[in-house]
Amino acid sequence: MTIRTRFAPSPTGYLHIGGARTALFSWLYARKHGGTFILRIEDTDLERSTAESVNAILEGMTWLGLEYDEGPFYQTKRFDRYKEVIQQLLDGGHAYRCYCTKEELDELRAGQMANKEKPRYNGLCRHRREPRPGVEPVIRFRNPDEGEVVIDDWVRGRVVIKNSELDDLIIARSDGSPTYNLSVVVDDLDMRVTHVIRGDDHLNNTPRQINILKALGADLPHYAHVPMILGSDGSRLSKRHGAVSVMQYRDDGYLPEAVLNYLVRLGWSHGDQELFSLDEMIELFDIKDINHSASTFNPDKLLWLNHHYLMHGDPAHVAHHLRWHLGRLGIDPTEGPDPADVVIAQRERNKTLVDMAASSVFFYRDLAGYDEKAAQKHLTAAAKAGIEALVERFRSLPDWVRADIHGAIEAVAQELGLKMGAVAQPVRVAVTGTTVSPPIDITLELLGRDPTLARLAAALEYIGRQSA
């Protein structure tokens, strides 16, 4: 059997973190077994589905690197097929037209609730043969009255639902459009999906979908219902906990591999291992190892992972993502040092690419000014002699390399009888505008000789004005 999994989001909003985890689990299982991963857009909710949401889903999948083998398929382009199956169910006696009005159904529900009964359709139209004038019927699936549905769920174990607990669900609205449970069944059947991996909020739909599949004479897929993700306070994950768009994590400076590593550990584990390369995820992942209980979202853990990948990732790869963040600041990364070199210089002290880009602006753009406290403390008359001496030494260096820059600063400090920091820190403020940067020799090497000399000259002018 060829493994075929699918990710089937509804385009009624962004791709959120829970959906991304479901997509990852489905993708990993297909990749592990040399199978096929399908992307399906479930856009039958015409009122809420938007093109912007579709684009957000596709963009999120691309950023995460979860490439799909087939799709994207759109349910709105398969209405003819759904009508064909609905008619097949009608012809086979597995579905019927229901002419009950909304008012009648509301009255039925109110009565059942008053009697403390489970609200459900009572099958009134099961045996109706004549149309009801002025009422456009819905179509309901005739659920079996007896027996039970057994779900051998790969995460939750054996789940048994009595058919007597299920009512006759609507499979086509009065305008003829299919409902979720019908279209999902037909899609999974036509696309030969072997493993349905989805959130456990869909578990209540599964027995109904199994009964429809049985009515169509279809083989059943394997089901794996993944527990939900909780916020740090134990409540359902929401925006206040970090349940934002996947692309918000990109905007906030996270690397996709950090997000993937974090997501795979939300509900799945392999011993005590915390860090996984993509190849390791594929090799080690198994649906049956998914935890049965809900996972808790921890933004601090995600930030820790992101810093790890900034520190240990391929600088060229990290630089690819850093360029995007520099561009957001209006910086052309070709007009300055190689971003890969900047990554190496900056990665230890920055946990996100947003921070790294912000702290690297001085490499690519002239200073707009100095931090006031830094200038008052370090750009003083006492610092003038050291800066002037360095300007002369820097001009005469045969090569603008780190070791020689360090040697020049060290020599000036010795000549003036100062500690090295007393010379280096005014230089740092002069070229970066602040007291924080990578080691001064690395900073100056990346900045370049001419920009360094220009900024030191500007600092001397500033000291002169302050002294005057």
Side-chain angles (χ1 to χ4, degrees):
M1 177 181 65
T2 300
I3 301 297
R4 293 176 64 85
T5 66
R6 49 66 157 185
F7 176 51
S10 299
T12 55
Y14 48 73
L15 176 60
H16 58 79
I17 208 74
R21 184 186 66 165
T22 300
L24 174 61
F25 286 174
S26 297
W27 183 87
L28 286 174
Y29 195 72
R31 290 291 174 267
K32 179 181 179 69
H33 295 281
T36 300
F37 176 61
I38 302 163
L39 177 62
R40 185 170 76 221
I41 306 297
E42 297 188 340
D43 56 348
T44 54
D45 188 341
L46 301 179
E47 292 184 358
R48 298 177 62 213
S49 298
T50 66
E52 291 78 12
S53 294
V54 172
N55 290 335
I57 291 168
L58 298 178
E59 188 179 22
M61 295 287 285
T62 299
W63 182 71
L64 289 172
L66 301 180
E67 71 279 6
Y68 37 90
D69 304 299
E70 295 181 11
F73 297 106
Y74 296 87
Q75 289 186 330
T76 48
K77 296 183 179 180
R78 290 174 46 80
F79 276 16
D80 289 344
R81 172 60 177 153
Y82 303 141
K83 290 179 181 178
E84 177 184 311
V85 173
I86 291 168
Q87 189 60 52
Q88 178 182 340
L89 291 170
L90 285 168
D91 294 343
H94 297 293
Y96 60 91
R97 292 177 176 84
C98 174
Y99 291 89
C100 294
T101 64
K102 181 180 183 302
E103 290 73 22
E104 290 170 337
L105 293 175
D106 287 344
E107 185 178 349
L108 172 64
R109 178 182 177 86
Q112 291 170 331
M113 295 185 69
N115 294 328
K116 297 184 179 180
E117 300 173 0
K118 181 180 179 180
R120 52 184 291 143
Y121 182 64
N122 60 5
L124 180 65
C125 289
R126 272 190 168 198
H127 307 291
R128 182 189 291 273
R129 294 291 179 265
E130 298 298 323
R132 189 174 181 181
V135 178
E136 289 294 331
V138 298
I139 297 176
R140 291 182 182 271
F141 175 71
R142 186 189 295 269
N143 197 76
D145 295 318
E146 300 178 348
E148 57 190 22
V149 180
V150 178
I151 309 167
D152 288 315
D153 192 275
W154 283 22
V155 175
R156 298 178 63 93
R158 193 175 184 85
V159 180
V160 179
I161 305 293
K162 292 182 178 180
N163 278 317
S164 58
E165 297 179 15
L166 306 173
D167 61 357
D168 295 347
L169 78 157
I170 297 172
I171 58 174
R173 304 178 183 89
S174 58
D175 62 2
S177 62
T179 59
Y180 166 78
N181 281 298
L182 185 282
S183 56
V184 165
V185 165
V186 176
D187 289 345
D188 286 344
L189 175 60
D190 289 355
M191 296 173 190
R192 309 186 310 284
V193 171
T194 61
H195 294 74
V196 174
I197 305 170
R198 59 188 177 188
D200 62 3
D201 53 330
H202 287 285
L203 184 60
N204 290 337
N205 294 320
T206 302
R208 303 173 183 277
Q209 294 171 10
I210 287 176
N211 280 337
I212 297 174
L213 283 166
K214 288 180 176 179
L216 295 172
D219 293 330
L220 301 181
H222 298 285
Y223 290 95
H225 289 90
V226 181
M228 69 175 65
I229 303 172
L230 301 178
S232 55
D233 57 0
S235 63
R236 190 181 182 92
L237 191 65
S238 64
K239 286 184 178 180
R240 73 176 187 276
H241 301 116
V244 295
S245 164
V246 165
M247 300 314 293
Q248 185 63 51
Y249 289 100
R250 177 201 63 179
D251 295 350
D252 289 346
Y254 290 85
L255 289 166
E257 52 268 32
V259 175
L260 288 175
N261 194 149
Y262 184 73
L263 288 178
V264 81
R265 288 288 286 112
L266 270 181
W268 174 83
S269 61
H270 180 73
D272 296 327
Q273 186 171 341
E274 293 287 350
L275 299 166
F276 295 87
S277 68
L278 206 54
D279 288 340
E280 287 177 316
M281 290 184 207
I282 293 170
E283 177 187 354
L284 300 172
F285 179 79
D286 194 317
I287 295 175
K288 295 179 181 179
D289 291 334
I290 295 173
N291 298 338
H292 299 178
S293 56
S295 304
T296 301
F297 187 85
N298 183 343
D300 292 335
K301 182 66 172 294
L302 175 57
L303 189 61
W304 175 83
L305 277 170
N306 197 61
H307 191 213
H308 169 84
Y309 281 100
L310 287 178
M311 285 285 293
H312 302 286
D314 178 4
H317 169 75
V318 177
H320 168 75
H321 294 281
L322 177 62
R323 286 185 181 92
W324 186 83
H325 287 276
L326 290 171
R328 292 183 80 197
L329 299 176
I331 291 170
D332 181 352
T334 64
E335 297 179 355
D338 186 334
D341 294 330
V342 173
V343 167
I344 295 171
Q346 294 278 40
R347 60 190 177 184
E348 186 172 340
R349 59 184 54 78
N350 291 283
K351 294 183 178 180
T352 71
L353 289 167
V354 167
D355 293 340
M356 186 178 288
S359 63
S360 301
V361 168
F362 73 90
F363 284 124
Y364 300 93
R365 185 182 291 160
D366 291 339
L367 298 184
Y370 306 113
D371 175 80
E372 185 176 347
K373 289 184 179 179
Q376 287 178 354
K377 183 176 181 179
H378 297 287
L379 296 185
T380 63
K384 182 179 179 183
I387 295 176
E388 288 177 335
L390 274 177
V391 168
E392 294 303 316
R393 283 188 174 270
F394 285 163
R395 282 177 179 160
S396 62
L397 287 180
D399 298 304
W400 190 254
V401 294
R402 186 180 315 170
D404 292 351
I405 294 169
H406 183 89
I409 298 173
E410 195 171 44
V412 168
Q414 290 178 352
E415 288 174 3
L416 298 178
L418 299 171
K419 292 182 179 180
M420 189 166 174
V423 177
Q425 198 67 341
V427 172
R428 178 175 282 110
V429 175
V431 299
T432 71
T434 72
T435 57
V436 180
S437 81
I440 191 62
D441 49 0
I442 297 175
T443 297
L444 299 185
E445 181 184 52
L446 290 177
L447 185 61
R449 189 198 308 257
D450 290 344
T452 295
L453 292 173
R455 293 184 191 187
L456 291 178
L460 289 171
E461 292 181 5
Y462 173 85
I463 292 171
R465 292 196 301 274
Q466 297 302 109
S467 298

